[in-house]
């Protein structure tokens, strides 16, 4: 399907790159995004990909840290009914070394969250994919989060563009499934300029 081909994205001024479908648009073209964050959205499906650079959480162990970030996100978003569906063990990303390979963990969860400043009465049911790439030598946790709504609340602002109720599976719409989009973003993640992390 046109617009769903994977394209390389230059992030943080080209210091980082990764790859995901063309249908995801840069949120910063529409509104301000914090400097430590890159956000992309497919408005037709209300799916999004967010890449964040965070200070390394020294008190969170490598094993299960993606689940910690998932639960932290749920708390920040005032989510309800959060469940962890899947979590990976610890593995290394040999393509990302400075000088040691980055440590990676992943988790998938489901939760009910509201858009923007909307209240709990407008919560959508979403699947959330999280990967944490730990760049310990530069004191950074890279957080990659992908959101895939599967029930849109009629009161949600998303209902205006996507429609309320169950969302159509991506494959039915000729789109790459979000699970595959997320896999690509993590697999194709590259650091080109380590000076990005200099304090």
């Amino acid at each position: 399907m046109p617009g769903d081909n994977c394209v390389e994205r230059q992030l943080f001024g080209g210091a980082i790159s990764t790859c995901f479908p063309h249908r995801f648009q840069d949120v910063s073209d529409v509104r301000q995004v914090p400097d430590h964050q890159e956000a992309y959205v497919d408005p037709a499906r209300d799916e999004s990909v967010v890449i964040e650079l965070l200070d390394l959480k020294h008190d969170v162990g490598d094993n299960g840290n993606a689940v910690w970030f998932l639960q932290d996100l749920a708390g920040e978003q005032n989510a309800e009914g959060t469940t962890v569906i899947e979590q990976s063990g610890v593995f290394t990303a040999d393509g990302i070394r400075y000088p040691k390979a980055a440590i990676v963990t992943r988790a998938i969860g489901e939760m009910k969250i509201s858009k923007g400043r909307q209240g709990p009465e407008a919560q959508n049911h979403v699947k959330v994919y999280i990967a944490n790439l730990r760049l310990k030598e530069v004191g950074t946790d890279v957080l990659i989060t992908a959101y895939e709504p599967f029930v849109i609340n009629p009161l949600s602002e998303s209902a205006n563009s996507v429609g309320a109720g169950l969302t159509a599976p991506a494959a039915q719409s000729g789109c790459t499934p979000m699970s595959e989009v997320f896999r690509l973003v993590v697999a194709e993640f590259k650091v080109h300029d380590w000076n990005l992390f200099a304090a």
Side-chain angles (χ1 to χ4, degrees):
M1 177 182 177
D4 206 44
N5 298 328
C6 186
V7 291
E8 187 176 62
R9 307 299 184 116
Q10 300 298 315
L11 308 174
F12 302 102
I16 289 172
S17 70
T18 189
C19 184
F20 48 90
H22 197 264
R23 64 188 171 94
F24 288 89
Q25 300 165 13
D26 191 340
V27 172
S28 66
D29 293 342
V30 182
R31 62 173 169 81
Q32 197 164 7
V33 172
D35 288 345
H36 72 284
Q37 204 179 75
E38 293 270 6
Y40 289 80
V41 67
D42 174 359
R45 297 188 54 77
D46 200 33
E47 294 176 341
S48 55
V49 174
V50 180
I51 294 110
E52 291 178 271
L53 307 179
L54 305 170
D55 288 337
L56 190 77
K57 302 277 185 287
H58 293 282
D59 53 341
V60 180
D62 292 340
N63 202 5
N65 60 354
V67 171
W68 184 90
F69 278 110
L70 184 72
Q71 288 163 340
D72 184 57
L73 174 77
E76 275 181 25
Q77 304 264 357
N78 297 318
E80 291 178 9
T82 304
T83 54
V84 177
I85 305 167
E86 204 179 292
Q87 63 176 319
S88 76
V90 175
F91 59 100
T92 55
D94 292 324
I96 309 167
R97 352 184 110 251
Y98 187 80
K100 294 179 184 169
I103 290 167
V104 184
T105 57
R106 289 188 295 232
I108 302 171
E110 287 181 13
M111 58 183 76
K112 291 180 177 172
I113 53 176
S114 304
K115 295 284 285 184
R117 294 190 175 88
Q118 289 195 289
E121 71 287 344
Q123 286 179 331
N124 297 323
H125 202 157
V126 299
K127 189 180 264 192
V128 181
Y129 303 81
I130 282 193
N132 178 216
L133 285 65
R134 308 207 92 177
L135 309 178
K136 291 188 177 181
E137 283 71 28
V138 290
T140 304
D141 272 319
V142 178
L143 199 61
I144 298 171
T145 313
Y147 296 87
E148 177 185 25
F150 53 94
V151 181
I152 302 286
N153 188 313
L155 297 176
S156 170
E157 60 189 49
S158 307
N160 299 333
S161 52
V162 183
L166 285 168
T167 57
Q172 238 178 52
S173 311
C175 296
T176 305
M178 205 58 194
S179 56
E180 177 62 13
V181 171
F182 173 71
R183 190 197 67 74
L184 271 171
V185 175
V186 177
E188 298 295 326
F189 189 93
K190 294 179 182 71
V191 177
H192 303 287
D193 184 0
W194 288 93
N195 290 322
L196 175 68
F197 306 101

